[in-house]
Amino acid sequence: MKDALSADDTSGARPLYAVTEETLGSWLDGMSSEVRAWVQANDFKGKPGSSLILPSADGAIAGVLCGISTPADIWDLGGLALSLPDGSYLLGGVAADDPKAAGTLVLGWILGAYKFRTYKKDGRKPARLVPPKGVDLALVEALAEATYMVRDLINTPANDMGPTALAEAAKELAARFGADYAEVVGERLLEENYPAVHAVGRAAADAPRIVELTWGDSSKPTVALVGKGVCFDTGGLDIKPASGMKLMKKDMGGAAHVLGIAHVLMALKADIHLKVLIPAVENSISGNAMRPMDIVSTRAGLTIEVANTDAEGRIILSDALARAGEASPEMIFDFATLTGAARVALGTELPALFCNNDALADALLASGTAVQDPLWRLPLWPGYRKMIEGSTADINNAPEGGYAGAITAALFLEKFVDAKTPWVHIDVMAYNRSSQAGRPEGGEAMGMRAVANLILERFGKG
Ligand code: BES
Ligand code: ZN
Ligand code: ZN
């Protein structure tokens, strides 16, 4: 992450002039006729995302001109770190006037420098950006580091990111920030009353577990984060077709997201007591796998009719949400790669937000807009509660027909949350299907900055 920043070393940095389509003309007025001719010859108009290297008389690079949006868009500089020639670049031009906008641009630059390098160590080093004065580097670095962690966790294939490895990542994060760490593994899940986590994960060679990270002063308001940690989703006995299974290493994306948020909150010393819960399992097939129409009991006491073993996320989240409620939290946020239906409704780039509290939902949507990390609200439509009623158990995990699949999944989770506790559920893709500036193909944090920003604004930081 840090190799895309050059915060203190400005010596030898080339100027990177940010202009907009509107300000390009006045910028050119202050330049030599050679520069004006070069810009014209290259037909550079200041379009957001475009850039132009400016030569010096001796054939070296004098600087770079880049186009940004009004207001500045986080991805405006997202394509530069891995496309500009190696070296460091001092961000100036219109970006120097507004530290908050500059911080957003710097974050986009760093996010665009990401490559998943664990297994294939090729490729160039990113060019380095020197941020202008006034940028909140602690915030930018925390968000960048958290995003890199989320991407790495999701990109790591399931053979190296099973429940044990995912739990280990949570443990390392806890150690780094002095948080308490606990896990309940395998058969002990039954003794400690996490029957739903056990039912989904018991068929896997890597034992299921629930991970609990606790940080901060317990006299402060508790914020609970819950993340779906299905390290691989074969679908179980209701096995997925090859095309649907291919990307399912990303099914622990919810867990990665809540670890990313925890990273930001702990790094910036949020004024809260934090509780992170991750049910970590593999939805596998073997002789002891959960079967269609098995009835699974839950920590909360409700029984679940397993209409489809591929609707496993909501089953494990039921125990984790019940556990989160036991901490009497001020609010609960859960992230989950829960349904294909949410992707049909909103596509891959827009996470679906469900919330039982209108004021919190509005605040979170506004936060997402403010930090350019958008969410879109879908309803916890009461009229569809009848769809998740079970015939032989309290609730059914996969209603017939699949209509409103994202909503019925959210309504299922709602059963495990106290109606008086403000609760946010985010159904997220957690993956870029193809590369765009700043967002390489692969694991992605979506909605993470929106939630982290809301919590920091609501409760303050140290
Ligand atoms: N992990 C999947 C959901 C998913 C699939 C998210 C593709 C993003 C992309 C989840 O466990 C699942 O399989 N859900 C089923 C539920 C259905 C059986 C009720 C789905 O969405 O098809
Ligand atoms: Zn599934
Ligand atoms: Zn799943």
Side-chain angles (χ1 to χ4, degrees), residues 7 20 131 175 183 251 265 319 333-334 336 344 368 371-372 380 419-420 443:
T20 66
E183 60 179 4
D251 214 18
L265 297 177
D319 280 355
F333 297 85
D334 82 66
V344 173
V371 300
Q372 301 186 29
L380 288 160
K420 291 190 288 298

Side-chain angles (χ1 to χ4, degrees), residues 96-364:
D97 306 336
D98 178 351
K100 197 151 179 267
T104 304
L105 291 168
V106 173
L107 178 59
W109 171 290
I110 304 172
L111 297 183
Y114 175 86
K115 267 191 92 169
F116 181 51
R117 293 190 167 89
T118 311
Y119 301 88
K120 193 175 174 187
K121 316 232 183 250
D122 68 341
R124 55 163 293 181
K125 279 211 189 107
R128 293 174 303 283
L129 188 63
V130 183
K133 294 257 165 322
V135 168
D136 183 349
L137 274 183
L139 176 65
V140 170
E141 287 184 13
L143 292 170
E145 212 177 322
T147 308
Y148 274 42
M149 177 183 70
V150 171
R151 290 173 174 179
D152 279 344
L153 288 171
I154 296 170
N155 287 332
T156 302
N159 57 328
D160 282 335
M161 190 49 66
T164 305
L166 180 58
E168 193 57 36
K171 192 174 181 181
E172 275 167 24
L173 187 70
R176 174 166 168 189
F177 291 105
D180 290 332
Y181 175 85
E183 60 179 4
V184 179
V185 184
E187 295 308 300
R188 279 206 50 228
L189 287 167
L190 297 175
E191 292 158 35
E192 301 280 337
N193 196 21
Y194 294 101
V197 179
H198 182 268
V200 172
R202 70 182 179 221
D206 195 351
R209 64 205 66 207
I210 186 147
V211 165
E212 193 166 326
L213 180 157
T214 312
W215 175 86
D217 181 347
S218 61
S219 67
K220 305 239 169 94
T222 299
V223 173
L225 306 176
V226 177
K228 173 178 171 180
V230 175
C231 294
F232 195 78
D233 184 8
T234 65
L237 287 170
D238 289 313
I239 191 168
K240 287 180 182 293
S243 58
M245 203 190 296
K246 191 172 174 196
L247 270 188
M248 282 301 132
K249 68 173 182 180
K250 80 172 176 82
D251 214 18
M252 35 58 71
H257 275 70
V258 296
L259 290 175
I261 294 168
H263 176 112
V264 174
L265 297 177
M266 295 191 292
L268 300 177
K269 303 194 170 60
D271 219 5
I272 57 167
H273 179 238
L274 179 66
K275 178 75 87 181
V276 180
L277 285 156
I278 296 175
V281 305
E282 222 185 299
N283 189 18
S284 292
I285 297 173
S286 75
N288 64 342
M290 174 176 79
R291 293 160 285 258
M293 291 313 271
D294 274 2
I295 294 176
V296 171
S297 55
T298 63
R299 185 176 188 83
L302 287 175
T303 52
I304 302 172
E305 185 174 82
V306 182
N308 192 314
T309 62
D310 196 12
E312 82 298 336
R314 64 198 79 182
I315 302 178
I316 61 171
L317 288 170
S318 73
D319 280 355
L321 287 168
R323 173 68 183 168
E326 291 161 21
S328 304
E330 206 81 2
M331 38 184 90
I332 302 177
F333 297 85
D334 82 66
F335 277 77
T337 50
L338 201 63
T339 68
R343 307 287 67 83
V344 173
L346 297 176
T348 57
E349 295 179 21
L350 200 48
L353 161 69
F354 295 87
C355 186
N356 62 355
N357 180 300
D358 289 341
L360 179 57
D362 289 345
L364 186 52

